[in-house]
Amino acid sequence: MADAKVIPFDDDRSRGGAVQRPPRRRAAGSRRKGDPAVVREVQPLPGRAFPQDDVPVTREEQPSQPSTPNNAPSTSQARVSGGLERRVAGGLAFLRRRLTGDYEIDDFGYDQELTEQVLMSLIRPLYEKYFRVEVKGIENIPTDGGALIVANHSGTLPLDGLMMQVAVHDNHPESRHLRLLAADLVFMLPVVNELARKAGHTLACAEDAERLLERGELVGVMPEGFKGIGKPFGERYKLQRFGRGGFVSTALRQGAPIIPCSIVGAEEIYPMIGNAKTLARLLGFPYFPITPTFPWLGPLGAVPLPTKWTIQFGEPIPTDGYSPEAAEDPMLMFNLTDQVREQIQHTLYKLLVQRRSVFF
């Protein structure tokens, strides 16, 4: 498109014609008939001036504006194009490393690159858009060093552990990774076993937990186990027994702080109204859930309800003030276990009172 032509305000004068200026307004006032009309200039308002329309404005005086060709991309288009090119280049580099084996895994099978770039990306839409997880108390998680996060367990399927893992990574200022301790059943399933290892999960045993804490990792444990995740809907948000306090013994041996974690919203994703125990024994499962939609609707019944989640990390309970021999004191372990359990239960009740509804 050609450059726009600037037409001077006195364009008629430039063509040789006299400029017909509009008559000025007369000042308000009375005059007698026959008296010559007195024309008074209207005074400008304070702080304002009339435009000097008798001064021609030439092209040289116009502010210069950069001319953009029609086929030149805008700044936003260039930015989007550059971001897309970087993502494509990063994806190709990632595939090249995977094909050539140029990546690292630790002795537990944890693949940090695959977890950050693939597994987290697959879970994150469920975390952000579907469950709309709200995170509180992330400042209670230390920036470095080992710590044990203890949380309630619920939801029929263990989605709460995955949401907690994303919550720690995406909200912590150091983007720390949470290494979850999982039950034996997880590592007996063909595909789930490999994915769990790649995501940093390991067997729920004291030996693996102590090794991770000794290396300064964040370790997550859900002591309720199958008793919590498979409880009926009528017992929602009522914590089950925390076992014999093995997680407390592990934290005492390593002097790692215990961080209670309360999760609200997971109980309602699959309202478990029944348990087909005979079918569960035949399949080798700890329970076989019956919900209002499953198994009646088939695969569609396995879609979780879009509840609103809240994950709150409580104040750490220090253990570095105890001697290593304290891990063998059953009374101390019982007291600390009960303290963690009570703190999680109290926070659950508080979050339930603050919640407006299950879905919003």
Side-chain angles (χ1 to χ4, degrees):
M1 182 175 66
D3 293 335
K5 181 179 180 181
V6 179
I7 301 177
F9 292 147
D10 61 341
D11 188 63
D12 293 336
R13 185 185 302 173
S14 63
R15 291 192 295 265
V19 178
Q20 300 296 329
R21 297 176 57 85
R24 298 184 182 272
R25 293 189 303 161
R26 289 183 173 88
S30 60
R31 64 184 179 90
R32 288 180 300 181
K33 186 176 180 179
D35 290 346
V38 178
V39 180
R40 300 176 183 176
E41 292 185 358
V42 178
Q43 297 299 324
L45 295 175
R48 298 183 58 185
F50 287 115
Q52 299 180 0
D53 52 354
D54 55 346
V55 180
V57 179
T58 61
R59 180 184 297 271
E60 290 76 14
E61 295 174 345
Q62 292 289 337
S64 59
Q65 297 182 358
S67 59
T68 303
N70 292 337
N71 57 353
S74 63
T75 304
S76 59
Q77 291 175 339
R79 188 181 298 112
V80 171
S81 176
L84 180 61
E85 291 177 358
R86 285 193 297 270
R87 288 195 296 268
V88 171
L92 293 176
F94 172 77
L95 290 176
R96 182 175 64 251
R97 289 192 297 271
R98 307 310 295 187
L99 294 175
T100 59
D102 186 19
Y103 58 91
E104 296 180 358
I105 60 174
D106 66 5
D107 48 353
F108 292 94
Y110 172 51
D111 190 333
Q112 181 175 345
E113 183 184 47
L114 182 68
T115 300
E116 289 184 347
Q117 299 195 21
V118 178
L119 301 182
M120 286 281 188
S121 300
L122 295 176
I123 303 173
R124 195 168 284 116
L126 193 66
Y127 170 90
E128 294 179 346
K129 305 299 183 182
Y130 199 77
F131 294 136
R132 297 148 290 149
V133 180
E134 179 184 359
V135 178
K136 300 180 179 181
I138 195 68
E139 67 277 1
N140 291 319
I141 299 178
T143 57
D144 55 10
L148 186 66
I149 298 179
V150 182
N152 59 306
H153 206 14
S154 62
T156 306
L157 290 182
L159 296 180
D160 51 358
L162 299 178
M163 296 302 106
M164 185 170 62
Q165 189 176 12
V166 179
V168 172
H169 179 269
D170 288 3
N171 292 274
H172 196 274
E174 299 297 330
S175 299
R176 300 197 67 179
H177 288 275
L178 180 64
R179 308 292 295 271
L180 290 171
L181 303 180
D184 301 358
L185 180 62
V186 173
F187 302 101
M188 294 171 59
L189 302 176
V191 178
V192 177
N193 171 31
E194 189 68 20
L195 291 177
R197 288 290 185 186
K198 294 291 186 181
H201 305 171
T202 188
L203 191 63
C205 63
E207 292 78 10
D208 286 357
E210 287 184 20
R211 288 172 58 196
L212 289 172
L213 289 174
E214 189 177 3
R215 289 163 46 172
E217 299 280 358
L218 278 180
V219 180
V221 61
M222 296 175 167
E224 292 178 281
F226 291 122
K227 299 188 301 295
I229 197 175
K231 63 177 177 287
F233 186 68
E235 299 181 10
R236 59 191 180 278
Y237 298 114
K238 296 179 181 179
L239 293 183
Q240 305 298 303
R241 185 172 174 267
F242 267 22
R244 292 173 292 181
F247 68 92
V248 172
S249 176
T250 301
L252 287 171
R253 288 191 179 95
Q254 296 299 322
I258 301 174
I259 303 173
C261 177
S262 303
I263 303 175
V264 167
E267 294 275 15
E268 296 90 359
I269 60 174
Y270 296 111
M272 186 171 168
I273 59 177
N275 180 15
K277 296 182 180 180
T278 303
L279 186 57
R281 284 195 297 267
L282 291 175
L283 297 175
F285 295 159
Y287 57 89
F288 189 89
I290 297 176
T291 72
T293 58
F294 183 83
W296 326 114
L297 299 182
L300 186 61
V303 178
L305 297 179
T307 59
K308 176 73 171 63
W309 287 35
T310 301
I311 300 178
Q312 179 164 337
F313 299 96
E315 295 184 2
I317 300 175
T319 63
D320 53 356
Y322 299 96
S323 63
E325 293 78 14
E328 307 300 330
D329 185 350
M331 186 57 66
L332 176 61
M333 287 194 297
F334 175 80
N335 290 335
L336 288 177
T337 301
D338 190 62
Q339 180 182 352
V340 175
R341 186 180 181 278
E342 288 298 322
Q343 187 169 337
I344 295 174
Q345 184 70 80
H346 176 74
T347 305
L348 287 175
Y349 288 149
K350 184 176 66 175
L351 292 176
L352 289 172
V353 171
Q354 297 173 353
R355 184 170 66 168
R356 293 179 300 173
S357 77
V358 175
F359 300 100
F360 303 102

